[in-house]
Amino acid sequence: MLRSTIIFLSIAVLTSSCFSGGNTDAEAEEVNIYTHRHYEVDRQIFENFETETGIKVNLVKASADELIVRLENEGEQSPADLLFTVDAGRLTMAKEKGLFQPVTSEKLNAAIPAHLRDPEGNWFAQTLRARIFAYSKERVDPADLSTYEA
């Protein structure tokens, strides 16, 4: 939990000052997060972030596709500081649409292995998912499971 909190806090702080719309001085104590995620741990991370930094977290929740369309429509005037979603495919699509501004950070690069971040600094992974296969030893011969398709 602590590592993901540190990674998220770093990303939020860095991107709050880096998005193309940018915050004015009056808005500097807020971070606007567009999120598709719906996990309890996120709520805890946001609360910890607010407590530790004094920066208010404003959430806009919708599907990843709706958030990407919203970012496109808002363009340079978007109040979004961070897109927080669960799908690497959506991150790639948003990057290809030019919706991100790259972040250069020694802290993020040190905390997040290269294979878990965009080589150009457009996104950083916070978590990974394991895709596992389960089978019945009584009904399936493991030799028949030599490929993903099997």
Side-chain angles (χ1 to χ4, degrees):
M1 173 66 180
L2 180 60
R3 182 178 167 93
S4 61
T5 301
I6 291 169
I7 291 169
F8 174 74
L9 295 180
S10 299
I11 293 170
V13 170
L14 285 168
T15 54
S16 68
S17 62
C18 294
F19 257 70
S20 55
N23 288 332
T24 66
D25 289 339
E27 298 168 322
E29 297 303 312
E30 295 186 357
V31 61
N32 298 308
I33 300 174
Y34 286 16
T35 182
H36 170 70
R37 291 172 51 96
H38 52 83
Y39 304 109
E40 177 63 20
V41 70
D42 291 352
R43 186 188 62 73
Q44 294 169 352
I45 290 171
F46 299 145
E47 286 177 6
N48 290 344
F49 177 79
E50 287 181 332
T51 299
E52 292 176 23
T53 67
I55 298 172
K56 182 176 177 2
V57 175
N58 300 312
L59 296 177
V60 174
K61 293 186 175 188
S63 76
D65 289 336
E66 290 170 330
L67 293 171
I68 290 170
V69 168
R70 181 172 177 159
L71 286 168
E72 284 182 292
N73 290 338
E74 292 172 342
E76 294 284 328
Q77 300 305 311
S78 178
D81 295 304
L82 180 69
L83 174 63
F84 201 35
T85 188
V86 298
D87 184 354
R90 296 304 193 293
L91 291 175
T92 300
M93 178 177 32
K95 177 185 171 184
E96 289 172 353
K97 292 177 178 276
L99 299 177
F100 296 147
Q101 181 173 341
V103 173
T104 303
S105 168
E106 290 181 24
K107 288 182 180 181
L108 288 174
N109 290 343
I112 303 171
H115 70 282
L116 298 178
R117 54 186 150 92
D118 178 63
E120 298 163 355
N122 288 283
W123 56 261
F124 298 84
Q126 178 196 15
T127 60
L128 295 173
R129 289 187 179 174
R131 303 286 188 205
I132 62 168
F133 296 96
Y135 66 91
S136 168
K137 292 181 179 180
E138 292 82 34
R139 296 189 311 261
V140 177
D141 179 358
D144 293 337
L145 301 176
S146 61
T147 66
Y148 183 85
E149 289 80 15

